[in-house]
Amino acid sequence: MHLAYPAVLAALLFCTGLYGVLARRNAILVLMSVELMLNAVNLNLVAFDVWLRDTLHAGQALTLFTIAIAAAEIGIGLAIVLMVYRNRGTSDVDRLRDTAEGHEPDGDSVNSATGAAA
């Protein structure tokens, strides 16, 4: 097996995931793009493990750990996204900046310290 085929496929998967992280506004699609990037890394780990003919199969063992971490990450991330959607009504990443403590929504023109309108 040539190493170039899985390496090129992994590079394409990683670039697709990177584009998804940078261009998407929906938090669930961003999480899916992160998973795509992790799968590209897993493909590289297994391909190099086979190419190097490692007797300990360290690449495959590290891939199993990466899959376990990815499963935990997607579970916690999806729970956070669902709670944000339940509280905010949207899962738009750009609107999540309003969750900072002390930051008022854009439509509110009342000064919270004095109670007077701005």
Side-chain angles (χ1 to χ4, degrees):
M1 176 176 91
H2 294 288
L3 183 62
Y5 298 134
V8 168
L9 179 62
L12 290 174
L13 283 174
F14 193 85
C15 289
T16 304
L18 185 65
Y19 173 74
V21 167
L22 295 176
R24 298 294 178 185
R25 302 287 184 230
N26 191 349
I28 294 175
L29 292 177
V30 170
L31 287 174
M32 288 175 57
S33 297
V34 169
E35 289 294 321
L36 195 62
M37 291 167 60
L38 285 172
N39 285 329
V41 170
N42 288 338
L43 180 62
N44 266 335
L45 285 171
V46 171
F48 277 98
D49 183 48
V50 170
W51 185 62
L52 293 173
R53 296 188 178 149
D54 186 16
T55 58
L56 296 175
H57 299 293
Q60 294 177 16
L62 190 57
T63 298
L64 289 176
F65 284 117
T66 306
I67 290 171
I69 295 296
E73 174 258 334
I74 198 68
I76 292 172
L78 192 58
I80 291 170
V81 168
L82 287 175
M83 288 302 294
V84 167
Y85 182 77
R86 184 180 293 171
N87 290 335
R88 292 281 194 174
T90 185
S91 62
D92 190 6
V93 176
D94 290 336
R95 294 188 185 181
L96 293 180
R97 285 181 250 178
D98 295 337
T99 60
E101 186 176 337
H103 189 273
E104 296 179 14
D106 292 335
D108 192 13
S109 62
V110 175
N111 188 353
S112 62
T114 61

